[in-house]
């Protein structure tokens, strides 16, 4: 498939998933604010925070229609200038903000699983999610975003060497003249006019920051996911086991599995592959557009497990669809259990 065909497919995916993401995240916010069980605690505000972030991410994605492109020892995030309200300078800033959203998403994944672990272990730090201190937790993704914005706009900014290296390839594959797009991307093994090759320090630093962010997020998600699962099993073993409680713990395990797989498949793996190809100086070509698609799909897919797993939300959806009769009685478990289990029972 040629680059133009990839671009057309990518634009279709970005527009359709953005609309779906905005609708489903808005609906989830409504359910969170009106249908959440009391036991949900501060997790309610964490879910709202994530949904608002994903709506913003989707809007930025559909406004820019960015294309990821791997060419040898560089990868680019290309934004076309045609039919855009902003000029090249404004689009370059928004492109950097798009980088920032990807970095912030890595922190959001980590924050999500750290909170889950604090809940099931009844860690004293859980109290910091109450009151004004929750702002400190919510500021972490913003700091990550700032680092990634700086990484894109400063360390991976367009330069003469990168432009000379990529302009013919971009024209051949995407049919874009050099003045028809803006880009951000590190060029690791720079080739001078005389043919000499050297490692660009800025590009190396940029790739280092990106790699550390992705790998650390992946480690945190997997580590805290495993710790949560082990703690849940421990709670089952030390609690008077009932059919309802065992069923609940299985639901929590399935929630952890799904909520680990989604970012792992759609965000971590594609991003890691892109970086690895740059270090190996391997040309991924137009197939690097897969990363653009998975990023676009992520905000639309991520809310679905929550809508299905949280009983109050699932029941509301079924009532709305006419699958079950509306009931005034809230469905809750009558089984006595430790506080940690009660808090996490609807997560």
């Amino acid at each position: 498939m040629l680059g133009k065909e990839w671009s057309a497919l990518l634009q279709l995916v970005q527009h359709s998933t953005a609309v779906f993401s905005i609708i489903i995240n808005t609906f989830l916010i409504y359910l969170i604010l009106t249908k959440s069980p009391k036991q949900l605690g501060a997790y309610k505000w964490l879910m709202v925070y994530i949904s608002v972030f994903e709506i913003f991410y989707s809007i930025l994605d559909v406004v820019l229609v960015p294309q990821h492109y791997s060419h040898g020892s560089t990868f680019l995030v290309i934004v076309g200038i045609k039919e855009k309200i902003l000029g090249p300078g404004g689009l370059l800033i928004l492109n950097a903000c798009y980088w920032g959203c990807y970095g912030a998403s890595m922190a959001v994944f980590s924050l999500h699983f750290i909170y889950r672990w604090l809940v099931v272990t009844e860690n004293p730090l859980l109290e910091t999610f109450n009151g004004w201190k929750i702002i400190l937790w919510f500021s972490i993704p913003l700091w990550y975003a700032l680092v990634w914005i700086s990484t894109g706009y400063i360390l991976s900014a367009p330069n003469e060497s990168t432009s000379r290296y990529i302009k013919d390839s971009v024209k051949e594959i995407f049919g874009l003249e050099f003045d028809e797009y803006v880009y951000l991307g590190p060029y690791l093994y720079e080739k001078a006019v005389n043919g000499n090759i050297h490692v660009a320090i800025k590009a190396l630093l940029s790739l280092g920051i990106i790699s550390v962010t992705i790998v650390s997020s992946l480690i945190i998600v997997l580590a805290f996911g495993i710790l949560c699962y082990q703690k849940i099993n421990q709670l089952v073993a030390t609690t008077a086991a009932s059919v309802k409680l065992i069923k609940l713990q299985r639901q929590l395990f399935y929630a952890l599995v799904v909520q680990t797989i989604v970012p792992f498949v759609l965000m971590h793996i594609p991003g890691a592959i892109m970086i690895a190809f740059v270090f190996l100086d391997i040309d991924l070509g137009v197939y690097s557009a897969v990363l653009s698609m998975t990023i676009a799909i992520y905000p639309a897919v991520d809310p679905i497990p929550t809508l299905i797993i949280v009983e109050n939300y699932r029941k509301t959806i079924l009532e709305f669809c006419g699958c079950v009769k509306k009931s005034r009685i809230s469905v809750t478990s009558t089984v006595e259990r430790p506080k940690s289990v009660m808090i996490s029972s609807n997560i």
Side-chain angles (χ1 to χ4, degrees):
M1 185 179 289
L2 298 176
K4 290 183 180 180
E5 293 174 303
W6 266 114
S7 298
L9 177 60
L10 173 61
Q11 188 169 356
L12 175 62
V13 170
Q14 288 172 323
H15 281 78
S16 57
T17 54
V19 172
F20 183 73
S21 172
I22 292 170
I23 293 173
I24 195 171
N25 276 290
T26 301
F27 179 57
L28 177 57
I29 291 173
Y30 164 75
L31 292 178
I32 292 169
L33 296 178
T34 62
K35 304 295 181 179
S36 294
K38 293 181 180 179
Q39 295 92 342
L40 209 57
Y43 190 65
K44 175 172 69 175
W45 303 115
L46 179 58
M47 289 196 298
V48 170
Y49 179 80
I50 293 173
S51 291
V52 171
F53 166 74
E54 289 175 350
I55 289 173
F56 175 77
Y57 204 166
S58 297
I59 293 173
L60 188 59
D61 193 52
V62 79
V63 167
L64 291 178
V65 194
Q67 299 186 82
H68 293 75
Y69 178 53
S70 169
H71 178 57
S73 63
T74 183
F75 77 86
L76 311 172
V77 180
I78 300 172
V79 176
I81 295 176
K82 291 183 178 180
E83 300 179 356
K84 296 291 197 309
I85 298 176
L86 298 176
L91 291 174
L92 206 61
I93 293 174
L94 285 184
N95 195 348
C97 291
Y98 178 78
W99 281 53
C101 283
Y102 188 90
S105 68
M106 297 292 112
V108 167
F109 303 148
S110 302
L111 181 61
H112 188 179
F113 278 83
I114 290 173
Y115 178 83
R116 294 286 293 271
W117 178 75
L118 293 176
V119 169
V120 298
T121 59
E122 294 184 283
N123 192 290
L125 282 176
L126 187 62
E127 292 299 320
T128 59
F129 276 86
N130 297 320
W132 68 270
K133 291 182 180 179
I134 196 172
I135 297 175
L136 299 178
W137 286 103
F138 287 175
S139 68
I140 294 175
L142 301 180
W143 285 108
Y144 269 70
L146 184 60
V147 170
W148 270 67
I149 289 172
S150 301
T151 299
Y153 195 75
I154 299 174
L155 299 179
S156 303
N159 57 62
E160 183 180 350
S161 180
T162 307
S163 298
R164 184 174 60 250
Y165 179 66
I166 59 97
K167 66 178 182 180
D168 291 337
S169 177
V170 171
K171 180 180 179 180
E172 178 183 356
I173 293 178
F174 298 102
L176 294 173
E177 298 292 342
F178 185 68
D179 60 352
E180 294 179 333
Y181 62 91
V182 296
Y183 73 87
L184 292 174
Y187 179 24
L188 184 58
Y189 307 124
E190 288 191 356
K191 187 175 182 179
V193 178
N194 59 11
N196 293 332
I197 298 176
H198 70 278
V199 176
I201 301 302
K202 281 188 176 181
L204 183 61
L205 181 58
S206 173
L207 291 168
I209 293 172
I210 293 171
S211 300
V212 168
T213 304
I214 294 175
V215 172
S216 62
S217 175
L218 178 59
I219 292 174
I220 290 173
V221 168
L222 292 177
F224 281 90
I226 293 172
L227 289 173
C228 285
Y229 173 61
Q230 291 175 341
K231 184 62 178 180
I232 288 171
N233 278 345
Q234 182 182 348
L235 289 172
V236 172
T238 57
T239 305
S242 68
V243 174
K244 289 184 178 180
L245 182 57
I246 294 174
K247 182 179 178 181
L248 169 63
Q249 303 310 328
R250 287 175 179 169
Q251 289 175 351
L252 290 174
F253 171 67
Y254 295 148
L256 282 173
V257 171
V258 173
Q259 290 170 334
T260 303
I261 290 176
V262 170
F264 186 74
V265 172
L266 296 180
M267 303 289 277
H268 289 104
I269 291 180
I273 290 175
M274 182 81 78
I275 300 303
F277 273 57
V278 172
F279 278 110
L280 296 173
D281 196 12
I282 298 176
D283 195 343
L284 190 57
V286 294
Y287 296 104
S288 50
V290 170
L291 177 58
S292 303
M293 293 183 187
T294 58
I295 290 175
I297 292 170
Y298 170 74
V301 173
D302 188 57
I304 295 176
T306 302
L307 292 171
I308 295 174
I309 292 165
V310 179
E311 186 179 19
N312 289 38
Y313 306 161
R314 182 177 67 250
K315 183 182 176 185
T316 301
I317 294 171
L318 292 175
E319 289 177 352
F320 178 78
C321 296
C323 298
V324 297
K325 291 183 180 180
K326 188 174 182 180
S327 174
R328 295 181 181 179
I329 301 175
S330 176
V331 179
T332 56
S333 174
T334 58
V335 179
E336 293 295 327
R337 50 186 182 268
K339 181 181 177 182
S340 60
V341 179
M342 292 181 66
I343 294 175
S344 63
S345 63
N346 290 290
I347 298 177

